Amino acid sequence: MPGSVQNAAPLTVMPASLSRSFAHERAYPVVESEYRNGESQRSVQATNSRKRWRLAKRLTPAQLGSLRDFYDARKGPTEPFYFYDPYETSPKFSHDPTGQAIAGRYTVRFAGEWNQSVDLGRADVNVELIELA
């Protein structure tokens, strides 16, 4: 069908590394109309929430190189990949580098540009991921 968009088909999994900071957000898309008399009307655009993760990582040079190579191979925010939410995996905080385990696995993409700062022996990287349908 012309104009159809195919679902994202990830081929790889984000490399596992510990996060110094981990934030998980859920947003429900809503259409809101406000009127002059102060009333408003809202309707839901989707029945499922859209998830977003913000990760701050402190990495060794080898881990930094691995994550940067992964980011570059995905062409930044262009290509999808699998991400395991450590709080939803079974057992908790497990990681499947093959992408076969379904529990806690999400299809995501990077939501921003590469952001890093380097200190003595370590690098701080902030990563934002957004779920794809």
Side-chain angles (χ1 to χ4, degrees):
M1 174 179 222
S4 292
V5 177
Q6 293 181 356
N7 287 339
L11 301 174
T12 189
V13 178
M14 183 173 171
S17 62
L18 295 176
S19 295
R20 186 171 46 86
S21 170
F22 183 92
H24 179 195
E25 299 173 7
R26 291 177 184 244
Y28 290 89
V30 174
V31 175
E32 182 176 6
S33 300
E34 292 191 25
Y35 302 103
R36 295 186 84 181
N37 64 356
E39 294 180 3
S40 65
Q41 184 178 16
R42 294 174 188 85
S43 63
V44 178
Q45 283 184 322
T47 57
N48 296 332
S49 64
R50 188 164 195 195
K51 296 163 191 72
R52 181 181 295 261
W53 294 266
R54 287 186 173 90
L55 312 172
K57 297 177 173 289
R58 177 160 281 180
L59 304 172
T60 64
Q63 291 171 322
L64 175 65
S66 173
L67 186 58
R68 181 60 196 240
D69 290 345
F70 181 81
Y71 180 87
D72 290 340
R74 306 287 79 71
K75 299 177 184 87
T78 307
E79 295 180 8
F81 55 91
Y82 288 130
F83 168 72
Y84 283 97
D85 186 327
Y87 291 95
E88 296 181 20
T89 58
S90 180
K92 287 200 183 296
F93 297 95
S94 62
H95 181 266
D96 178 16
T98 66
Q100 298 299 314
I102 296 173
R105 182 183 75 185
Y106 290 93
T107 301
V108 299
R109 68 170 175 81
F110 289 105
E113 301 300 320
W114 183 259
N115 181 7
Q116 82 178 42
S117 62
V118 179
D119 227 355
L120 291 174
R122 300 276 181 176
D124 290 323
V125 178
N126 295 312
V127 177
E128 188 172 347
L129 309 174
I130 190 162
E131 180 184 27
L132 304 174

